[in-house]
Amino acid sequence: MNIKKYILSAVIALSTLSLSAQTDRPGDIDKSVLLGFEYEINAGINIGGASPLPLPAEIRKINSYSPHLNLLIGTTVTKWFGPESKQSKWGISAGLRFETKGMETDATVKNYGMTIIQDGKKLSGKWTGRVQTKYHSQQLAVPINAVYRINNRWKVNFGPYIAYAFSNDFDGYVYEGYLREGDPTGNKVSFEDDARATYDFGDDLRKFQWGVQCGGAWRVFNRLSINANLTWGLNDIFNKSFKTVTFNMYPIYLNLGFSYVF
């Protein structure tokens, strides 16, 4: 499945729809809102990464970080409460979004839990040196939020989300350092000059994740909004049985995008 193909198509479609929306006034309310419902399609990008909180002692320095191009597309339905839905302040929304989350980092670590592959053989222990990591996940997420409308232009939201990851990758390589097999006093295996060894923890990532999100939207025109939402995962991206990495890592992302309101 090529998520970039679908999302780029959606972005083009939303841009085309927004051209017709530019003649509408921000204060106008669609008939669907009068009936208490509001429907949106959304597109945007995720910026962030999976991070331990706080940064553990094993990670001595972050040498580089790349957020990658993490795209999303989805739909949201909002139910506004009250006899006058046009003037209602409170509502509840439910959505479905197809998104990618990922990052690439290079870090200097000490006594970092690691299982590497060297000459086809697995070695486990504590790594001291440089670690290059790439994380990538494709997910279906369902957010359920309380929504408050400040005025005809602005609204804010807060609530939980659940997500299912149907594709997970967490891999990379180690270099310029050494591995102590078993524990910090074990047999020393050194990697110098251009020597490196790979690792792959993709099979140890969770399929189900959950967390909270909060954000807001600004209605630029009657049918076009600009959105920003912070999503904060509350469970470790790794399965509970995974013990190689000794600290929890949480997905924290800011998604920025726009919506077309029907």
Side-chain angles (χ1 to χ4, degrees):
M1 182 179 294
N2 191 337
I3 183 172
K4 293 183 179 180
K5 174 182 176 182
Y6 291 116
I7 293 179
L8 289 175
S9 298
V11 169
I12 294 172
L14 283 173
S15 299
T16 303
L17 288 171
S18 70
L19 292 177
S20 63
Q22 293 181 16
T23 59
D24 296 326
R25 293 170 297 175
D28 291 343
I29 301 295
D30 190 81
K31 290 182 179 179
S32 62
V33 177
L34 295 177
L35 297 175
F37 289 94
E38 189 174 75
Y39 307 92
E40 305 173 34
I41 55 174
N42 323 110
I45 59 172
N46 282 321
I47 303 171
S51 173
L53 294 172
L55 204 65
E58 292 95 325
I59 300 178
R60 298 304 175 93
K61 182 182 178 182
I62 303 296
N63 302 308
S64 65
Y65 160 77
S66 171
H68 287 180
L69 180 61
N70 303 307
L71 304 176
L72 69 88
I73 185 171
T75 182
T76 303
V77 178
T78 303
K79 167 62 178 175
W80 296 103
F81 299 116
E84 293 289 340
S85 296
K86 179 178 179 180
Q87 304 299 327
S88 294
K89 293 293 186 181
W90 288 97
I92 186 170
S93 70
L96 178 67
R97 63 175 180 257
F98 179 38
E99 62 185 344
T100 59
K101 292 182 175 180
M103 65 171 188
E104 189 167 348
T105 63
D106 183 279
T108 300
V109 303
K110 184 176 182 179
N111 292 331
Y112 183 89
M114 179 58 64
T115 298
I116 60 174
I117 301 174
Q118 182 189 34
D119 299 326
K121 179 182 177 183
K122 283 189 175 182
L123 300 175
S124 297
K126 300 296 183 180
W127 171 261
T128 296
R130 301 280 291 271
V131 179
Q132 182 81 20
T133 299
K134 183 174 69 175
Y135 167 61
H136 182 80
S137 181
Q138 292 186 339
Q139 303 180 358
L140 282 174
V142 179
I144 300 176
N145 284 191
V147 186
Y148 180 74
R149 182 158 51 198
I150 300 173
N151 53 42
N152 285 340
R153 283 181 177 269
W154 289 95
K155 64 181 180 180
V156 293
N157 62 272
F158 176 80
Y161 75 87
I162 57 173
Y164 174 77
F166 53 87
S167 175
N168 274 328
D169 295 292
F170 193 102
D171 53 36
Y173 57 88
V174 297
Y175 65 108
E176 293 183 7
Y178 60 88
L179 180 79
R180 290 284 189 179
E181 293 187 77
D183 57 52
T185 62
N187 180 51
K188 185 177 181 180
V189 181
S190 297
F191 293 80
E192 299 176 351
D193 299 325
D194 295 329
R196 60 179 60 180
T198 62
Y199 68 91
D200 188 344
F201 300 151
D203 291 340
D204 299 296
L205 291 172
R206 290 182 187 269
K207 291 293 187 181
F208 288 95
Q209 297 179 6
W210 66 280
V212 294
Q213 76 169 46
C214 64
W218 177 50
R219 185 74 69 89
V220 183
F221 301 104
N222 183 45
R223 296 188 181 277
L224 183 67
S225 296
I226 297 175
N227 311 311
N229 281 282
L230 177 67
T231 63
W232 196 298
L234 296 179
N235 62 339
D236 186 8
I237 64 171
F238 290 110
N239 293 318
K240 188 175 181 179
S241 59
F242 181 64
K243 303 299 182 183
T244 301
V245 176
T246 57
F247 47 80
N248 293 342
M249 297 185 69
Y250 303 96
I252 304 169
Y253 284 86
L254 175 67
N255 62 62
L256 302 171
F258 55 95
S259 301
Y260 184 83
V261 184
F262 290 92

